[in-house]
Amino acid sequence: MDINSFFNWYLGRELGVCGDLIYKGFEAIENDDDIVLKDKESTNDELIDRIESSAFIFFVNMCVSFERLGKIILLFQLNNEHPVEMLYFINEKDDERAKSFEFFGEEVTNALYGHNNIKLIKLIDYYNSNSKENSFINEKEKYFFQKLDNFYKKFRYGRFNTPTNNDFNVDVKELNELYIYVIQNIMKKSKKEIKKDKYSNTDLKSDVLYNLGELVQHLVNKYYDEIFKYAYALNIYTYELHGESHSVDVFLNRTSLHDIFIKKELLELN
């Protein structure tokens, strides 16, 4: 297989899958339960009977989609820097693929076959010659990815492990913690201010979803623009999307992911 076919037909299809995963992941929390803003013990008591599927789908879909988008970017970068070794990498013969792994080194190989967004971003920064102060992601985005990576590593199969006290709904707790982070660090509101502003549960959840959706959308656009840049330079079309897919809504949106579902709701009402 030639390298252009690999990026066009294989990774191009992968891009669409990632967009649909992000759409379905955010859709899962659009009509989920209200946010709990109490002390830790009271919060855990209130979360104990909630359905876990929405939080689980959100975390798994976001983990998998951004990890795969990061790998597409890294493969473009490796192709720019080491085109001969990339031909070995896409070769179906195991002994020739092994040559590329040996050349790329343990860090790159582990990133390509592992499940860690932060490690991928570190390599993307390295190949982009980004300084620590000029990283591909900012501090709030880094927190989001740390949350995703932690969930994927520790809690993806958490309910299959040795149980601990009330540790069967970690996904719900993690999502509620993410909402609180958005309130305090992006919306810049304290719990007292929320009460003072007399937020209804519905209005608070909508504002949090808008701000969380904005954070995720900003990341989506960064990844897509980076993939577009590399594909365009090679005169290939990895960035093209299926016209009827949710990936078009996700990658071409420039506001908040939450807006996509608000518009959908309004269209259904009409």
Side-chain angles (χ1 to χ4, degrees):
M1 183 192 302
D2 66 274
I3 202 73
N4 286 0
S5 295
F6 174 68
F7 280 108
N8 266 338
W9 293 106
Y10 287 81
L11 299 190
R13 298 299 176 99
E14 192 65 40
L15 183 68
V17 170
C18 293
D20 278 16
L21 282 171
I22 290 167
Y23 181 95
K24 293 293 185 183
F26 208 85
E27 183 182 47
I29 61 171
E30 275 290 325
N31 298 305
D32 195 21
D33 296 302
D34 296 329
I35 300 161
V36 181
L37 294 170
K38 297 181 180 178
D39 62 83
K40 188 171 183 180
E41 187 174 343
S42 300
T43 295
N44 289 342
D45 288 343
E46 194 159 327
L47 295 175
I48 205 165
D49 291 324
R50 293 199 171 177
I51 298 171
E52 294 82 7
S53 56
S54 297
F56 185 86
I57 291 167
F58 172 79
F59 278 117
V60 169
N61 281 27
M62 293 295 163
C63 289
V64 171
S65 55
F66 279 109
E67 172 201 318
R68 295 167 98 88
L69 290 171
K71 288 175 181 179
I72 295 173
I73 294 170
L74 180 57
L75 287 170
F76 267 120
Q77 293 175 320
L78 290 171
N79 184 58
N80 278 0
E81 297 287 328
H82 313 294
V84 174
E85 285 69 31
M86 269 300 294
L87 286 173
Y88 286 136
F89 176 80
I90 65 172
N91 198 301
E92 61 185 13
K93 296 177 182 176
D94 290 341
D95 59 331
E96 295 208 355
R97 295 197 85 194
K99 292 179 186 177
S100 69
F101 299 148
E102 186 179 340
F103 182 85
F104 292 150
E106 187 177 353
E107 187 177 12
V108 171
T109 303
N110 287 345
L112 286 172
Y113 285 91
H115 307 286
N116 191 293
N117 283 288
I118 296 295
K119 287 181 180 178
L120 281 164
I121 290 159
K122 183 180 175 184
L123 285 167
I124 290 169
D125 279 340
Y126 171 77
Y127 283 106
N128 276 346
S129 301
N130 290 341
S131 65
K132 190 175 180 181
E133 294 74 26
N134 190 33
S135 174
F136 188 61
I137 58 169
N138 62 38
E139 284 303 311
K140 293 181 179 67
E141 293 163 347
K142 185 177 180 180
Y143 172 86
F144 177 69
F145 279 132
Q146 286 170 334
K147 203 79 171 161
L148 296 186
D149 287 345
N150 188 53
F151 178 86
Y152 206 74
K153 181 180 179 180
K154 294 183 178 178
F155 306 128
R156 182 172 41 130
Y157 289 103
R159 284 183 281 272
F160 289 87
N161 296 330
T162 305
T164 56
N165 188 35
N166 290 348
D167 206 22
F168 47 78
N169 66 338
V170 173
D171 27 28
V172 175
K173 294 175 187 174
E174 288 287 302
L175 182 59
N176 198 71
E177 282 182 17
L178 180 59
Y179 288 153
I180 292 170
Y181 176 86
V182 170
I183 291 168
Q184 295 176 340
N185 296 276
I186 298 177
M187 295 169 60
K188 303 290 186 185
K189 288 186 178 289
S190 66
K191 292 179 183 179
K192 285 183 180 179
E193 286 175 311
I194 295 292
K195 289 177 182 176
K196 183 182 176 183
D197 293 343
K198 295 182 179 177
Y199 261 102
S200 70
N201 287 335
T202 303
D203 287 343
L204 177 61
K205 180 71 182 293
S206 182
D207 280 4
V208 170
L209 285 175
Y210 181 85
N211 282 274
L212 176 58
E214 205 169 38
L215 182 147
V216 177
Q217 186 68 58
H218 191 235
L219 284 167
V220 166
N221 296 145
K222 277 186 186 181
Y223 278 74
Y224 184 73
D225 290 349
E226 197 78 357
I227 290 166
F228 184 96
K229 176 185 78 176
Y230 284 113
Y232 188 81
L234 293 173
N235 196 28
I236 57 176
Y237 306 97
T238 312
Y239 53 82
E240 287 195 347
L241 305 163
H242 288 295
E244 300 301 316
S245 70
H246 292 309
S247 62
V248 171
D249 299 326
V250 169
F251 286 119
L252 301 188
N253 184 47
R254 292 281 161 172
T255 54
S256 167
L257 274 178
H258 183 52
D259 282 342
I260 293 171
F261 299 97
I262 294 295
K263 290 172 186 173
K264 181 183 175 184
E265 194 176 319
L266 290 172
L267 286 171
E268 287 173 353
L269 288 173
N270 292 330

